[in-house]
Amino acid sequence: MSLLDVKERMDALVKELNQHNYNYYVLAQPTISDFEFDQKLKELTELEKQHPEYQSADSPTLKVGGEITKEFKTVQHRWPMLSLGNTYSEQDLRDFDERIRKAIGNDFEYVCELKFDGLSMSLTYKDGLLDRAVTRGDGTKGDDVTTNIKTIKRIPKKLNAGDYPNEFEIRGEVFMHRAAFERLNSERIQKGEVPYANPRNFAAGTVKLQDSSEVARRPLDCFLYFLYTEKPLFKTHWESLEAVKNWGFHVCEHNRLCKNIDEAIDFIHYWGENRFNLSYDIDGIVLKVNSYAQQHELGFTAKSPRWAISYKYKAEEVETTLESVSYQVGRTGAVTPVANLKPVLLAGTTVKRATLHNANEIQRLDLHLGDTVFVEKGGEIIPKIISVNTLKRKPGAEKVIYPDTCPECGSNLVRKEGEAAHYCPNDEGCPTQIVGKIQHFIGRRAMNIEGLGDETVEALYRKGLIEHISDLYILREKTAELKQMERFGEKSINNMLEGIERSKQMPFEKVLFGLGIRYVGETVARKIATHFKNIDSLISASYEELTSVDEIGGRIAESLIEYFAEPRHIEQIEKLKTSGLQFVTEEKEVSLASDKLSGKTFIISGVFEQFSREELAELIQSNGGKILSSISGKLNYLVAGDNMGPSKLEKAKKLNIPIISDADLLKMIE
Ligand code: AMP
Ligand code: ZN
């Protein structure tokens, strides 16, 4: 390479790596594998070593990686949160071990720990209470996410009695278990929301949410792995981990004290094979020199400690052939491309398909039929095509082109502004959508109709017996036709009809969720059912009224308005009403505890330490007060917690409405 080329290559790498860092840390949506990233970073590091004069000031080798986001208060770290040197090779580990022995001799131990794939968090405790939680950010400054972190059950808000100092910092990794990830992600897909690629992104996205009550609903966990105190309390890292366990912290039970590098490498091999049996993702193993005195002697480079290193497992990756691409139509009409692969063994399972997400992804990969593709199963549950080996592409291979029309019904596909997915707009006539909607309605989490399964729904549709949800409730009149269906005996028919009959008792919120309105998931359905009390006030609600409800944003409001503007949807609802389904929220009988708040009106907003908003609302109502739906001149008090929306606050201030805390409220009814 000429010097000019070298400089150009270095600049290109800096630019590319900074973009990937941004995708990873800020957007939480990486587009390349960790392995590829590390290869590129290594190349850049090498070039910078040979040509230090060309090192650019914003080189990623000079930074830890993350950036700070605007929404949270920025906090300076007391001790910088460094990164760890990392490697994929055993030889590098032995070199690392050599360097240490040269510096401090042969008498030392390693603590080997799993490298959890989540996001690191710094927690400060004062007088045994959690005081502050801060993300790593750029390593010197991070985001104050205390309110969100307080919702994590595994992080003690108050410590057990113990010999801890008045003030100390402890660091660990916040992560999500795979099972929770899969459950919540499939809920997101059901709601038509963009799913997260892996548990780490889900955890990172969750910690950065503005709404702590939503954070509380997503189960996160945390392992602690570094203790920082002003005065040294322990001689070794191992002792400190043992101690913090007793204070109440969650420390991983798989940590191991190793006498030498061979034992550490055995540990690495063991987890290389067994890591898929853990309930959470790890991406490597961290080795730390155990003695604090020796750590001190070894010191730090600008980026990382010299006494620790991480060994990273390669994401399992294989090469196979792309046989075809199929397009699946979901119940909301979203058309998702799926790659059909020549079956291949990967991370312990046979893989035949990989997700392609959307049209952009096909374009990014420049896919051709018969291509040799690299498939990776890292943190992702569904394998993913990482790249194409274009060298092996056969001449004349056919380019994969995302269709213009729906593969099921032939309608022209549409794409909403700002969305990556294409939709089939023909929700009335597209068979897959029709069947999918009815299947959603009868599902366990919606109407939970016993005696009726997905396959029966499909069969009933093909026989022309159902086309709309409301048709389920007139099946009773069609027993003659039902009896003619294959493998459908008298008993099954009766079971089904009874199940359908019983579903008429399902509460309004379930019916609302069952309708399958885009973006109206279970939680949203419950919120609107509680707020509007019946379908008629919901149908006539304006955009402002809808968005004044907690957690109902513009996108959901628009979707509701669009849905109810369709005469055929209203017609369906009328039919369901006539059949006797519940379209009114049952009022709970409240016996008044007192009438101290009688004649007073309230709105509750934000998050509270001791109460949920529902509990506060109940408290107000049981003392004779009323909850209003939006801030107006009629409002007497705004009960404000943490993190409430700034627009609400501003409006209340403008109207001179007293803003009170939950404690003030308690005083009023004492
Ligand atoms: P890297 O981001 O590759 O430089 O690796 C450093 C990161 O590994 C830290 O910032 C932590 O978030 C994470 N990590 C996960 N498990 C551990 C552990 N047991 N000890 C130290 N760091 C860990
Ligand atoms: Zn269609």
Side-chain angles (χ1 to χ4, degrees):
M1 262 200 277
S2 79
L3 277 181
L4 210 65
D5 291 342
V6 168
K7 167 107 179 60
E8 220 162 70
R9 176 70 188 150
M10 287 171 72
D11 287 347
L13 282 168
V14 167
K15 207 167 148 213
E16 187 184 344
L17 289 167
N18 281 340
Q19 179 63 44
H20 287 311
N21 263 339
Y22 180 80
N23 295 347
Y24 184 103
Y25 287 104
V26 181
L27 303 180
Q29 280 186 341
T31 56
I32 63 167
S33 69
D34 287 359
F35 181 67
E36 278 178 278
F37 180 90
D38 291 331
Q39 291 302 99
K40 292 197 163 143
L41 190 64
K42 211 168 174 179
E43 184 188 344
L44 179 64
T45 316
E46 277 306 311
L47 288 172
E48 285 180 351
K49 235 191 248 165
Q50 291 160 22
H51 306 279
E53 71 278 17
Y54 292 155
Q55 183 174 48
S56 94
D58 66 341
S59 168
T61 61
L62 300 169
K63 284 181 284 193
V64 172
E67 270 179 56
I68 333 144
T69 41
K70 283 183 232 56
E71 293 91 339
F72 293 92
K73 201 171 90 195
T74 307
V75 177
Q76 182 87 26
H77 290 300
R78 175 108 170 59
W79 293 278
M81 285 180 89
L82 297 174
S83 155
L84 293 173
N86 66 53
T87 174
Y88 289 89
S89 97
E90 271 177 46
Q91 189 50 50
D92 282 357
L93 287 181
R94 296 195 182 277
D95 293 348
F96 167 78
D97 186 64
E98 254 324 301
R99 282 198 300 279
I100 294 183
R101 276 188 288 150
K102 269 194 197 133
I104 60 168
N106 294 331
D107 189 17
F108 65 93
E109 296 169 318
Y110 289 116
V111 176
C112 291
E113 299 174 20
L114 306 185
K115 186 168 190 294
F116 315 105
D117 200 7
L119 67 153
S120 45
M121 193 62 59
S122 144
L123 308 173
T124 304
Y125 283 79
K126 283 188 185 158
D127 301 320
L129 300 178
L130 173 60
D131 183 55
R132 201 153 73 175
V134 183
T135 64
R136 178 160 86 163
D138 66 1
T140 52
K141 293 188 257 39
D143 292 323
D144 182 336
V145 289
T146 313
T147 338
N148 285 348
I149 292 302
K150 278 189 176 163
T151 68
I152 302 178
K153 295 202 180 62
R154 277 292 190 137
I155 294 183
K157 264 58 76 189
K158 185 171 187 303
L159 300 181
N160 303 333
D163 298 332
Y164 41 77
N166 292 342
E167 187 171 342
F168 67 90
E169 184 177 335
I170 189 163
R171 291 182 187 167
E173 198 85 352
V174 170
F175 65 95
M176 189 181 276
H177 291 269
R178 259 195 310 269
F181 165 76
E182 282 171 52
R183 178 171 55 80
L184 293 172
N185 229 18
S186 68
E187 277 178 36
R188 288 180 71 82
I189 294 168
Q190 272 216 344
K191 283 190 243 170
E193 292 170 356
V194 186
Y196 286 97
N198 55 43
R200 185 197 50 229
N201 292 356
F202 210 143
T206 301
V207 165
K208 293 286 183 74
L209 286 175
Q210 293 296 318
D211 178 354
S212 303
S213 59
E214 177 61 22
V215 180
R217 228 172 282 121
R218 302 179 178 184
L220 295 174
D221 201 335
C222 180
F223 279 128
L224 285 310
Y225 49 62
F226 275 132
L227 175 70
Y228 290 81
T229 54
E230 199 67 50
K231 292 203 198 86
L233 282 187
F234 305 101
K235 287 211 158 58
T236 65
H237 176 54
W238 186 262
E239 275 175 63
S240 79
L241 292 179
E242 289 299 310
V244 303
K245 264 188 229 171
N246 296 328
W247 300 351
F249 291 105
H250 191 206
V251 175
C252 181
E253 70 274 27
H254 300 306
N255 295 345
R256 190 144 99 205
L257 193 56
C258 292
K259 291 211 170 49
N260 52 47
I261 194 71
D262 288 319
E263 278 190 30
I265 289 176
D266 283 347
F267 185 82
I268 289 176
H269 287 165
Y270 177 81
W271 285 109
E273 276 168 31
N274 291 283
R275 62 190 170 121
F276 299 110
N277 300 331
L278 293 165
S279 66
Y280 44 86
D281 287 342
I282 62 168
D283 62 345
I285 299 292
V286 184
L287 274 58
K288 300 172 184 170
V289 170
N290 190 25
S291 144
Y292 284 144
Q294 289 175 330
Q295 287 186 8
H296 189 77
E297 233 180 299
L298 289 162
F300 293 85
T301 69
K303 264 189 86 176
S304 51
R306 286 202 180 87
W307 42 265
I309 191 166
S310 75
Y311 176 89
K312 285 206 190 173
Y313 296 117
K314 265 188 214 169
E316 303 254 321
E317 193 186 74
V318 286
E319 211 183 77
T320 186
T321 318
L322 173 71
E323 293 187 328
S324 62
V325 175
S326 38
Y327 298 88
Q328 293 178 340
V329 185
R331 80 173 157 84
T332 58
V335 180
T336 315
V338 178
N340 300 305
L341 307 167
K342 191 164 158 221
V344 58
L345 208 61
L346 175 64
T349 50
T350 304
V351 171
K352 299 189 204 92
R353 287 135 65 84
T355 164
L356 285 169
H357 302 297
N358 50 47
N360 298 347
E361 179 74 357
I362 293 180
Q363 225 167 19
R364 176 182 81 81
L365 292 165
D366 183 30
L367 273 189
H368 287 61
L369 291 182
D371 267 352
T372 302
V373 293
F374 289 105
V375 182
E376 184 184 281
K377 199 167 179 181
E380 284 78 17
I381 300 305
I382 311 164
K384 195 178 156 173
I385 295 182
I386 293 299
S387 60
V388 175
N389 185 346
T390 43
L391 296 176
K392 289 197 185 168
R393 180 172 293 157
K394 299 201 182 65
E398 188 187 330
K399 198 172 156 77
V400 175
I401 294 176
Y402 191 91
D404 297 327
T405 56
C406 173
E408 300 286 340
C409 73
S411 307
N412 284 332
L413 299 182
V414 295
R415 194 182 211 172
K416 280 203 180 155
E417 219 185 278
E419 282 189 34
H422 285 79
Y423 288 91
C424 164
N426 182 19
D427 61 336
E428 274 283 88
C430 187
T432 329
Q433 289 190 59
I434 294 174
V435 172
K437 284 203 171 75
I438 302 178
Q439 288 170 337
H440 167 75
F441 180 79
I442 66 159
R444 200 171 42 79
R445 286 165 44 220
M447 299 299 274
N448 194 17
I449 299 188
E450 281 164 41
L452 179 58
D454 284 357
E455 278 159 38
T456 313
V457 168
E458 231 182 300
L460 290 168
Y461 170 73
R462 264 192 264 111
K463 284 262 178 253
L465 291 172
I466 51 172
E467 196 173 333
H468 296 290
I469 293 165
S470 61
D471 298 333
L472 291 172
Y473 296 90
I474 48 173
L475 276 178
R476 199 170 267 290
E477 297 154 23
K478 298 185 182 164
T479 39
E481 286 100 320
L482 288 174
K483 277 183 188 147
Q484 278 170 13
M485 285 175 57
E486 268 168 57
R487 281 178 300 169
F488 212 38
E490 182 122 6
K491 199 161 165 233
S492 326
I493 297 180
N494 283 337
N495 273 344
M496 175 182 80
L497 292 177
E498 269 169 38
I500 294 176
E501 191 58 31
R502 268 199 304 273
S503 73
K504 294 182 181 170
Q505 302 312 319
M506 288 305 265
F508 178 35
E509 60 178 71
K510 297 280 183 188
V511 181
L512 197 53
F513 172 60
L515 290 179
I517 304 170
R518 194 177 289 168
Y519 305 131
V520 179
E522 276 174 294
T523 323
V524 171
R526 195 177 322 123
K527 295 261 165 186
I528 3 192
T530 319
H531 184 94
F532 290 97
K533 305 263 190 310
N534 63 66
I535 192 81
D536 298 317
S537 23
L538 175 61
I539 292 174
S540 58
S542 68
Y543 181 87
E544 284 70 31
E545 280 170 297
L546 288 167
T547 47
S548 77
V549 182
D550 259 339
E551 280 175 57
I552 310 299
R555 207 173 51 144
I556 300 173
E558 268 166 27
S559 167
L560 282 162
I561 289 171
E562 227 171 81
Y563 185 88
F564 293 123
E566 255 329 316
R568 58 198 158 89
H569 290 152
I570 302 293
E571 191 188 318
Q572 273 298 303
I573 289 169
E574 287 306 323
K575 282 190 181 159
L576 291 171
K577 262 190 192 166
T578 316
S579 296
L581 274 73
Q582 305 298 316
F583 282 97
V584 178
T585 305
E586 266 190 50
E587 292 284 347
K588 270 188 244 147
E589 284 274 340
V590 275
S591 51
L592 285 192
S594 85
D595 57 1
K596 287 190 176 142
L597 304 181
S598 137
K600 301 209 169 81
T601 58
F602 298 82
I603 283 188
I604 308 163
S605 186
V607 211
F608 302 85
E609 284 223 346
Q610 293 184 37
F611 303 97
S612 71
R613 279 193 291 260
E614 283 79 13
E615 283 169 337
L616 286 177
E618 241 164 64
L619 201 64
I620 291 173
Q621 283 161 340
S622 65
N623 285 285
K626 228 180 117 187
I627 309 285
L628 295 188
S629 59
S630 60
I631 299 183
S632 68
K634 284 188 230 133
L635 179 64
N636 298 125
Y637 298 98
L638 175 66
V639 189
D642 289 336
N643 273 8
M644 70 173 286
S647 62
K648 269 191 191 161
L649 202 60
E650 212 172 282
K651 197 161 173 197
K653 278 187 184 150
K654 223 189 237 161
L655 294 168
N656 269 332
I657 290 161
I659 299 168
I660 63 172
S661 67
D662 48 348
D664 298 332
L665 178 69
L666 291 181
K667 263 186 225 135
M668 291 166 74
I669 53 180
E670 221 162 43

Coordinates of all heavy atoms in Angstrom, one line a residue, residues 25 82-84 86 113-116 118-120 136 173 225-226 286 288 310 312, ligand 1:
Y25 N -24.2 1.3 20.4 CA -24.4 1.9 21.8 C -25.6 2.8 21.9 O -26.3 2.9 22.9 CB -23.2 2.7 22.2 CG -22.0 1.7 22.6 CD1 -20.9 1.6 21.7 CD2 -22.0 1.0 23.8 CE1 -19.9 0.7 22.1 CE2 -21.0 0.2 24.1 CZ -19.9 0.1 23.3 OH -18.9 -0.8 23.6
L82 N -13.9 1.7 32.3 CA -13.1 1.3 31.2 C -13.6 0.1 30.5 O -14.5 -0.5 30.9 CB -11.7 1.0 31.7 CG -11.0 2.2 32.3 CD1 -9.7 1.9 32.9 CD2 -10.8 3.4 31.3
S83 N -13.0 -0.1 29.3 CA -13.4 -1.3 28.6 C -12.3 -2.4 28.9 O -11.4 -2.2 29.7 CB -13.3 -0.8 27.1 OG -13.1 -1.7 26.2
L84 N -12.5 -3.6 28.4 CA -11.5 -4.6 28.6 C -10.8 -5.0 27.4 O -11.4 -5.0 26.3 CB -12.2 -5.9 29.1 CG -12.9 -5.8 30.5 CD1 -13.7 -7.1 30.7 CD2 -11.9 -5.6 31.6
N86 N -9.7 -7.4 24.6 CA -10.3 -8.6 24.3 C -9.6 -9.4 23.2 O -8.9 -8.8 22.4 CB -11.8 -8.5 24.1 CG -12.1 -7.7 22.9 OD1 -11.6 -8.0 21.8 ND2 -12.8 -6.6 23.0
E113 N -14.6 -15.2 35.3 CA -16.0 -14.9 35.4 C -16.6 -15.0 34.0 O -15.9 -14.8 33.0 CB -16.2 -13.5 35.9 CG -15.6 -13.3 37.3 CD -15.7 -11.8 37.7 OE1 -16.5 -11.1 37.1 OE2 -15.0 -11.4 38.6
L114 N -17.9 -15.3 34.0 CA -18.6 -15.3 32.7 C -18.7 -13.8 32.2 O -18.8 -12.9 33.0 CB -20.0 -15.8 32.8 CG -20.1 -17.2 33.5 CD1 -21.6 -17.7 33.5 CD2 -19.2 -18.2 32.7
K115 N -18.6 -13.6 30.9 CA -18.8 -12.3 30.4 C -20.2 -12.1 29.9 O -20.6 -12.6 28.8 CB -17.8 -12.0 29.2 CG -17.9 -10.6 28.7 CD -16.7 -10.3 27.8 CE -16.5 -8.8 27.5 NZ -17.6 -8.3 26.7
F116 N -21.1 -11.5 30.8 CA -22.5 -11.4 30.5 C -22.7 -10.4 29.4 O -22.1 -9.4 29.3 CB -23.2 -10.9 31.7 CG -22.7 -11.7 33.0 CD1 -21.9 -11.0 33.9 CD2 -23.1 -13.0 33.2 CE1 -21.4 -11.7 35.0 CE2 -22.6 -13.7 34.3 CZ -21.8 -13.0 35.2
G118 N -24.8 -8.0 28.3 CA -25.9 -7.0 28.6 C -25.3 -5.6 28.5 O -24.5 -5.3 27.6
L119 N -25.6 -4.7 29.5 CA -25.0 -3.4 29.5 C -24.5 -3.1 30.9 O -25.1 -3.5 31.9 CB -25.9 -2.3 29.0 CG -27.1 -2.0 29.9 CD1 -27.5 -0.5 29.6 CD2 -28.3 -2.8 29.5
S120 N -23.3 -2.5 31.0 CA -22.7 -2.3 32.3 C -23.3 -1.1 33.0 O -23.8 -0.2 32.4 CB -21.2 -2.1 32.2 OG -20.9 -1.3 31.2
R136 N -22.6 3.2 31.4 CA -21.2 3.5 31.1 C -21.0 4.7 30.3 O -20.1 5.5 30.4 CB -20.6 2.3 30.4 CG -19.2 2.5 30.0 CD -18.4 1.2 29.7 NE -18.6 0.8 28.4 CZ -17.8 -0.1 27.8 NH1 -16.8 -0.7 28.5 NH2 -18.0 -0.5 26.6
E173 N -23.5 -6.0 35.4 CA -24.1 -6.1 34.1 C -25.6 -6.3 34.2 O -26.1 -7.2 34.9 CB -23.5 -7.3 33.3 CG -23.7 -7.2 31.8 CD -22.6 -6.4 31.1 OE1 -21.8 -5.7 31.8 OE2 -22.6 -6.4 29.9
Y225 N -20.0 -7.4 39.5 CA -18.7 -8.0 39.4 C -17.5 -7.1 39.7 O -16.3 -7.5 39.5 CB -18.5 -8.6 38.0 CG -18.9 -7.6 36.8 CD1 -18.3 -6.4 36.6 CD2 -19.9 -8.0 36.0 CE1 -18.6 -5.6 35.6 CE2 -20.3 -7.2 34.9 CZ -19.6 -6.0 34.7 OH -20.0 -5.2 33.7
F226 N -17.7 -5.8 40.2 CA -16.6 -5.0 40.6 C -17.0 -4.2 41.8 O -18.1 -3.5 41.8 CB -16.2 -4.0 39.5 CG -15.3 -4.5 38.5 CD1 -15.6 -4.2 37.1 CD2 -14.1 -5.1 38.8 CE1 -14.7 -4.7 36.2 CE2 -13.2 -5.5 37.8 CZ -13.5 -5.3 36.5
V286 N -14.2 -13.5 31.3 CA -13.3 -12.4 31.8 C -12.3 -13.0 32.8 O -12.7 -13.7 33.7 CB -14.0 -11.3 32.4 CG1 -13.1 -10.1 32.8 CG2 -15.1 -10.8 31.5
K288 N -9.5 -11.9 35.6 CA -9.0 -10.8 36.4 C -7.9 -11.3 37.4 O -8.2 -12.3 38.0 CB -10.2 -10.2 37.2 CG -11.3 -9.7 36.3 CD -12.5 -9.3 37.1 CE -13.6 -8.9 36.2 NZ -14.9 -8.7 36.9
S310 N -10.6 -10.1 28.3 CA -11.7 -10.9 28.1 C -11.5 -11.8 26.9 O -10.9 -11.3 25.9 CB -13.0 -10.1 27.9 OG -13.0 -9.5 26.6
K312 N -13.3 -13.8 24.0 CA -14.7 -13.8 23.4 C -14.9 -15.0 22.6 O -14.0 -15.4 21.8 CB -14.9 -12.5 22.5 CG -15.0 -11.3 23.3 CD -15.8 -10.3 22.5 CE -15.8 -8.9 23.1 NZ -16.5 -8.0 22.2
Ligands
AMP1 P1 -15.9 -4.8 26.0 O1 -17.2 -4.0 25.9 O2 -15.8 -5.9 25.0 O3 -14.7 -3.9 26.1 O4 -16.0 -5.5 27.4 C1 -16.1 -4.9 28.6 C2 -17.5 -5.0 29.1 O5 -17.7 -6.3 29.4 C3 -17.7 -4.3 30.4 O6 -18.0 -2.9 30.2 C4 -18.9 -5.0 30.9 O7 -20.1 -4.4 30.4 C5 -18.8 -6.4 30.3 N1 -18.8 -7.5 31.2 C6 -19.6 -8.5 31.2 N2 -19.3 -9.4 32.2 C7 -18.2 -8.9 32.9 C8 -17.5 -9.4 34.0 N3 -17.8 -10.5 34.6 N4 -16.5 -8.6 34.5 C9 -16.2 -7.4 33.8 N5 -16.9 -6.9 32.8 C10 -17.9 -7.7 32.3

